[in-house]
Structures are given as structure tokens and as C-alpha cells.
Amino acid sequence: MIDLRSDTLTKPTPEMLEAILAAPLGDDDRTHELGRGEDPTVNELEDHAARITGKQAAVLVPSGCMANTAAVLAQVKPGSTLLVDEQQHLMISEKYLFDPVLGRMSPQTYRHDEHGQPNLGDIAAALDAGGIDLICVENSHNYAGGAAITCERLAAIHELAQAHGVPVHMDGARLFNAALALGVDVSELCQHVDTLMFCLSKGLSAPVGSIVCGDQDTILEVRRMRKALGGAMRQAGVIAAPGIYALRHTVERLAEDHANARAFADAIADLERTHIVGDVVTNIVVIDVSDITDDPLAYCERAAERGLIIRPVMKRYIRFVFYRGITREDALNAAAIVRELDAGL
Ligand SMILES: *Cc1c(COP(=O)(O)O)cnc(C)c1O
């Protein structure tokens, strides 16, 4: 079976598991100045993350979902209004910020263009109208086919936001994929946002964990929110050690995943009824099969019968994610199955 549901399926490498055995550990929830704990491996990971993103401070959290939730709650009060992309993961999939009991936030949305770039006019209009407390962007943009928001667009959003005194949070679950696609250093993207998070547990292949980065005061507040959400961990060095390995050794290989996504997309580009959504620039390909069926779940079942595991997203689309362990041959075999389904379910 070729399983292209998500890059969260990556398993840790043997070196990551060895790094756990060798890691010095301590109680990360026994905190000292700046809210930092006693696990030296966690502290090393957080320092490294802050350095590469060009931010003052960083904090390890158990999941990407908690990273977004804690980062936003650290900056604005429950009940605030968040300006989000209309297809943003933290609104559509996570939802907890908008939960009537937990975050109690109200969403206001902006659109993105066919290349996944946020609509500046929408953002300017929303800010001018007032009442926006924080702006969220997603880079790379999952449901927009893995699009990478450019430095120029982020800079323009940040400029508008700063003129209105509104902070910007970047969901960078796949930040390293975005930077690679754009050919820039991650710090160049991060300089245009106040806070950001990225996942260690997706294409980077670490088993668990995400990181939130920002200025010292904000990260201290993220630590408080992490604790409140149940995310303060004790010997979290067992999570941090593979994370350090990932940041040192698995970033460059993301290029293979991008190339496999590209090869898959090229092999289905001529199909009449299968439409690729947006540009394929990272490790994600999203297709629209509404010319074939109005039941994407049935499409996925037919694919599974042929050996390909995929899932619908956004009701009418289907997502293919390429990651470590998926070969070029897998990508081309997946394309052959998509070609068969295009010819008739
Ligand atoms: C996966 C993902 C998250 C959440 O990460 P988890 O670790 O699964 O909670 C957040 N944002 C985006 C865009 C994602 O793809």
C-alpha cells in the first residue's frame, strides 16, 4: 500500500532513537528564570530553534495544535477577533481557538489567490474596518495545495498589521518546506511575523513535538498557556533529542519530497477530469475530482482497492502528501492509479 494521507506518518530514524538514549534529561516543568526548566536537551532544542528562526525565544510543545492555540492565547484575550485565511487549518481542522468554551475567538476571513498568496486588499479592508486583534497566516498553506507565501507578501501583511498595532502569527507547520520552495532561509520568513510555530513531527520525521518562537515576553506567556493546556512535560528531552537531530539532519532531504510531489503532479497534469488545485511547490498535491464524482470518499475507497491510501480534504478535494519513506516509484505508481480513476471510477 502507498499511504499518502499525511507527512505525520513519518517514523523516527534509527539515529533519532539513538539520540534519545544519549540525551541528558531533567525535569522541564521545574522552572527557573524566563520560565525555563531543568531538561538540558529541551533547552538546547529551544535555543537552536530560536537561533535558526531569528527569534528571541522558543518553547517546545507537544503538538502543532497546542502550538497554535497557546501562541494565540498568549497574545490576545479569549473572545477576540482573529483574521484568518478562509481555508486555514487552525480554523477548519483544529477549531479550539473558536470553541465557545475554550478560546471563544471569532473568525474573520481573508481570501488567497490561485497561488495561495493572501489577498492584501481583504486584509487591509478588515484592518481599516477595525476590531481585528490578531492576524493568522499559514505557510506552507496546507489546503491551498502546499503553497508557499512569499517573503514579499508576508512583509506587506506585517507592515499593514504594524500600522494597526495588530500582531501576526504564522502557522508554519511546514515552515521548512515553504522556505525550501522559496529558496530562502527560514529566518527571512520569520522576520515578518511576531510569533510562529513549526512541527518537528511532519516531514522533519521526529516522532512528537512542535515549537513556538517569538519574543521573550510572549514566549513566557506561551509557556503559561502550555501549562494551562496540559502541555508542560517532565523529561521532555526524550522528545527534544530527536527534534534536535531533525533540525540538523532532515531539513535538506525535504527537497526529495518536493521532487516526488512534482513528479506525481507532472504525471497527472494532462488529465481532463482530475484538476490540480494551485501550484505544486512543496510536498503536497491537492486535486479536485468533482468532474469525476460528487463523492470524494468513494473516490478514496476505489483508490484503496488499487493500493493507494488518500483522504478527502475541504469536502471536495483530495490531498496527497509526500514524505520520507515514499519513493519516486511510489509517486509514479500513485499517479498511475489516479490516471485509472480518471478514466472511470
Ligand atoms: C498538522 C498541522 C497542524 C497541527 O499539528 P498537529 O501536531 O497535528 O497538532 C497545524 N497546522 C497545519 C497547517 C498543519 O498541517
Side-chain angles (χ1 to χ4, degrees), residues 8 62-66 68 89-90 94 138 140 142 171 173-174 197 199 201-202 209-210 319:
T8 55
S63 69
C65 178
M66 191 187 288
N68 282 326
H89 189 278
L90 66 79
E94 299 169 31
E138 185 173 309
S140 65
N142 190 357
D171 176 341
R174 299 183 181 82
M197 73 78 151
C199 294
S201 55
K202 294 193 167 163
S210 290
R319 189 180 72 158

Side-chain angles (χ1 to χ4, degrees), residues 55 71-72 74-75 134-135 137 167-171 190 193-197 212-215 218-219 222:
K55 294 297 184 199
V72 172
Q75 295 178 83
L134 182 139
I135 302 175
V137 295
V168 180
H169 170 69
M170 178 162 65
D171 176 341
C190 299
V193 298
D194 298 281
T195 53
L196 65 110
M197 73 78 151
V212 183
C213 304
D215 68 32
T218 306
I219 293 304
V222 175

Side-chain angles (χ1 to χ4, degrees), residues 184-231:
V184 300
D185 194 86
V186 288
S187 63
E188 291 179 56
L189 291 170
C190 299
Q191 66 179 317
H192 302 302
V193 298
D194 298 281
T195 53
L196 65 110
M197 73 78 151
F198 64 83
C199 294
L200 296 164
S201 55
K202 294 193 167 163
L204 296 184
S205 307
V208 182
S210 290
I211 302 271
V212 183
C213 304
D215 68 32
Q216 203 68 262
D217 290 347
T218 306
I219 293 304
L220 193 58
E221 194 56 23
V222 175
R223 290 181 188 281
R224 226 171 60 76
M225 288 301 149
R226 176 184 68 165
K227 176 88 173 165
L229 294 167

Side-chain angles (χ1 to χ4, degrees), residues 72-133:
V72 172
L73 288 173
Q75 295 178 83
V76 295
K77 291 192 201 63
S80 296
T81 301
L82 308 185
L83 183 61
V84 301
D85 183 288
E86 61 186 357
Q87 295 182 351
Q88 185 144 3
H89 189 278
L90 66 79
M91 176 174 67
I92 290 173
S93 301
E94 299 169 31
K95 303 190 185 81
Y96 307 104
L97 284 165
F98 307 96
D99 183 277
V101 176
L102 185 61
R104 309 202 325 266
M105 306 288 175
S106 310
Q108 210 166 303
T109 60
Y110 61 84
R111 295 165 296 174
H112 56 258
D113 68 17
E114 68 273 28
H115 308 293
Q117 304 299 316
N119 185 312
L120 277 182
D122 285 1
I123 293 174
L127 288 168
D128 286 343
I132 301 297
D133 299 298

